[in-house]
Amino acid sequence: MNIHAVRTCYDYHYWANKQILTAGSQVSPEQFIAPTTHSFGSLRGTLVHMLDSDCGWRMLCQHGSLAAFRALAEQAFPTIDVLTQQYNAEEQAMRAYLAGLSDADLVESVRYTVDNGQRRERILWHCLWHVVNHGTQHRTLIDHDNLEEFADPAAYDIEVNNAAGIAFYTALAQETGGPVLDIACGTGRVTLPIAQLGIPITGLDLVPGMLERARRKSVGLPIQWITGDARTFDLEERFKLIFLTGNAFQAFLTRADQEALLERVHAHLHDEGLFAFETRNPRWASHKILHQEAQWRNLGDPPTRRPLIANLETNLEEEAWPNTSDSAGREVRITRTQAYDHVAQILHWTTYRRWHVGAEEQTRIARTALRYTFPQELDALLHYNGFSVIRRYGDWDLEPLSADSKSIIVVCRKGIL
């Protein structure tokens, strides 16, 4: 890392902030403070949080003090013009600080004391980089299509190369017989094994590139691939089994989205058919879970040994996840930050993939929003949309659902609307 790269990133950071503030200046005073589903309650709340974080990290880097964190009150900024003035002042202060740093300074440690008296230290450039990442996190909740993880189908196939759920959904297909509908089928990870049993199956997905890769993998199999939105599709056919896997149910971020999906499933499900899907079980960092995670960290290679689950909390420091390789055989390091919106029940992941081409590091960033639905909420949602839950599990080993389960897996029959 060098100081020129850091200053360039801050040029982008302040440019992006100006875009947000300019757009915000177009809203009415009432809209500026109106309640929203974002984590900090309103447009003003989110912008104040971003500014507070910028100031807090600068003071920590520059003076080793935590006093500036959470020092700004929303009420001090009655209008976006007042807030913009403070943004400009903070930008000037940070640019002046960066102007005095050298490459050698970037690898020095920032030392400070937390509330319980413990001493901590961080590498300076890590702290400076975090400020830009944090700003990006909040500027983009959500201004994306939630499909960035699927931009490279070949890389997706390499990363999601596991057997999770295949045996479960294959068994359901054998139980019901065809035809089967796989919603959000992707590149056919589960569709293909079912088709290989001779069971006719349709794969529906929103991303044409994922389906194109699926077609190339499925020559000669009884599969129909269809590009479509799960909230609006109409296939003029009924299916003995309809399922979603890969936690695709979590991509339906609002109740309206969920109900639109369920209405389409209900319309396409045979009267004696089954509807099945899984979704991540909402979890907080309980004492038991924290103990488990401490054990994984002590195993010697935490990123490759810990399960791919997340607690419902905000962690804006990049955390290592299992490394992978790309189609060219290069090692890809994966890190992730997350922000949990308690009101909307949405976890926002930002995933960073880094690899080298020669001596130059490349980075690809993908943003994902995941809706979490609690067990009783899910039961009510299904009931009022015409489904009865006949089986429910907490994992693919068919263990009962519990607070520590990684998943909620449900199998439903069609009820009466």
Side-chain angles (χ1 to χ4, degrees), residues 113-128:
T113 303
V114 296
D115 291 343
N116 63 8
Q118 290 185 340
R119 293 288 293 168
R120 300 280 177 84
E121 64 178 67
R122 299 168 184 263
I123 303 299
L124 175 58
W125 78 263
H126 291 183
C127 298
L128 294 171

Side-chain angles (χ1 to χ4, degrees), residues 3-289:
I3 190 60
H4 174 73
V6 171
R7 290 170 185 157
T8 300
C9 284
Y10 274 82
D11 287 342
Y12 163 77
H13 178 61
Y14 293 127
W15 172 85
N17 280 348
K18 285 181 173 62
Q19 305 309 303
I20 292 293
L21 293 168
T22 299
S25 67
Q26 306 303 311
V27 306
S28 68
E30 293 76 20
Q31 291 171 321
F32 180 53
I33 62 174
T36 69
T37 60
H38 294 116
S39 301
F40 295 91
S42 65
L43 174 60
R44 178 175 70 173
T46 300
L47 291 173
V48 170
H49 169 73
M50 291 166 58
L51 176 61
D52 183 272
S53 179
D54 277 22
C55 182
W57 280 100
R58 177 178 58 80
M59 293 295 289
L60 177 63
C61 294
Q62 196 168 10
H63 303 294
S65 171
L66 295 171
F69 282 103
R70 300 182 179 87
L72 300 181
E74 281 189 54
Q75 292 71 23
F77 304 97
T79 68
I80 198 162
D81 289 339
V82 174
L83 185 58
T84 298
Q85 292 174 16
Q86 190 65 37
Y87 262 88
N88 292 338
E90 175 56 34
E91 177 183 346
Q92 291 175 9
M94 178 59 97
R95 286 190 183 278
Y97 170 57
L98 294 176
L101 295 179
S102 66
D103 290 354
D105 292 326
L106 295 179
V107 295
E108 294 293 326
S109 293
V110 177
R111 295 179 174 86
Y112 57 98
T113 303
V114 296
D115 291 343
N116 63 8
Q118 290 185 340
R119 293 288 293 168
R120 300 280 177 84
E121 64 178 67
R122 299 168 184 263
I123 303 299
L124 175 58
W125 78 263
H126 291 183
C127 298
L128 294 171
W129 206 259
H130 171 74
V131 174
V132 178
N133 283 343
H134 178 262
T136 301
Q137 182 85 36
H138 285 286
R139 286 190 296 263
T140 57
L141 298 183
I142 307 177
D143 61 349
H144 58 92
D145 59 11
N146 218 17
L147 300 174
E148 292 174 353
E149 278 289 349
F150 314 115
D152 186 339
Y156 177 87
D157 265 357
I158 292 171
E159 286 189 27
V160 191
N161 182 24
N162 62 69
I166 292 178
F168 180 83
Y169 291 109
T170 298
L172 288 180
Q174 292 174 309
E175 176 184 341
T176 60
V180 175
L181 174 61
D182 180 359
I183 294 177
C185 63
T187 62
R189 186 179 65 89
V190 183
T191 325
L192 293 167
I194 292 175
Q196 286 164 357
L197 297 174
I199 298 173
I201 184 168
T202 297
L204 175 79
D205 201 276
L206 191 59
V207 183
M210 298 288 276
L211 289 179
E212 181 56 35
R213 185 169 178 83
R215 288 188 181 95
R216 292 198 300 268
K217 294 158 57 177
S218 62
V219 175
L221 292 174
I223 306 176
Q224 182 182 16
W225 303 107
I226 295 177
T227 303
D229 189 325
R231 297 165 297 183
T232 58
F233 71 96
D234 185 359
L235 304 183
E236 298 183 352
E237 183 179 1
R238 288 196 172 188
F239 299 87
K240 292 288 188 67
L241 171 66
I242 300 177
F243 71 91
L244 298 86
T245 190
N247 297 298
F249 187 75
Q250 291 187 263
F252 300 88
L253 300 180
T254 66
R255 188 180 67 185
D257 289 335
Q258 292 173 332
E259 291 187 335
L261 163 71
L262 295 176
E263 188 277 328
R264 291 289 79 205
V265 170
H266 198 277
H268 286 80
L269 187 63
H270 190 280
D271 289 344
E272 302 301 321
L274 297 179
F275 170 46
F277 63 94
E278 88 275 2
T279 183
R280 294 176 183 87
N281 188 26
R283 308 177 353 144
W284 280 272
S286 67
H287 177 75
K288 180 177 179 180
I289 289 171

